Amino acid sequence: FKHPTFSPGATDTFEESWGAVRDIKVFDKSFNRKEWVERPQVKPADFDWNSAYGHYVMGEQYLRQRFDNAGEKELIAALAVDRYFVPALNELALLAVRRAQYCKALDYADRALAVNTYKPAANYASGLAMMALGKNKAAKERFGLAAFSAEYRSAAFALAAKCELRDGEWATADM
């Protein structure tokens, strides 16, 4: 199974029910299996896990479980296959921000943005790094580009407003 992630600034709610099962046969019969959606349970034998995408998937999943060093290793292996593999660059930029390695985050984000200047994750990571380095004008510009994506919109707008406040732009901070 793969591990999902949560979007920045988002609020997700869910409910789980747990309890003891005395008789698995009775429990099994109480559910209509026809309603269950079966997902693939086995990795494809012919998938190339040594490809850029293969290393990226492994790295992403390590990061989702907070095994940051193993995740970083896999993402760097993805870049060894394809120097400009944007998904790996995005993840490495966000990881560098979490580690407060802002210049490193900017390096990864800039490589991704050189390929596609509108990539939301790279703009968001770059905005965070710029903000941490006190470069509020550049951070606002990057957050503005990240806000094109529904995934980053809420967090990007909130952080852009925070940059406005830092710069004393009270009138535009609430827009």
Side-chain angles (χ1 to χ4, degrees), residues 141-153:
E141 185 261 338
R142 298 295 167 90
F143 289 139
L145 292 171
F148 280 105
S149 163
E151 181 179 8
Y152 291 94
R153 186 170 297 133

Side-chain angles (χ1 to χ4, degrees), residues 71-151:
E72 180 181 37
K73 181 180 174 186
E74 289 293 336
L75 294 169
I76 289 171
L79 296 180
V81 176
D82 180 352
R83 176 173 162 68
Y84 292 100
F85 191 69
V86 172
L89 290 168
N90 291 341
E91 291 293 337
L92 285 166
L94 291 166
L95 176 61
V97 168
R98 279 202 318 266
R99 291 176 168 173
Q101 298 170 331
Y102 303 118
C103 291
K104 192 174 190 179
L106 289 173
D107 288 342
Y108 286 127
D110 285 349
R111 277 175 51 195
L113 294 172
V115 175
N116 183 344
T117 196
Y118 295 102
K119 273 309 203 188
N123 276 296
Y124 184 74
S126 181
L128 289 170
M130 294 284 193
M131 189 175 170
L133 294 171
K135 299 177 180 182
N136 292 329
K137 185 175 180 181
K140 287 185 285 190
E141 185 261 338
R142 298 295 167 90
F143 289 139
L145 292 171
F148 280 105
S149 163
E151 181 179 8

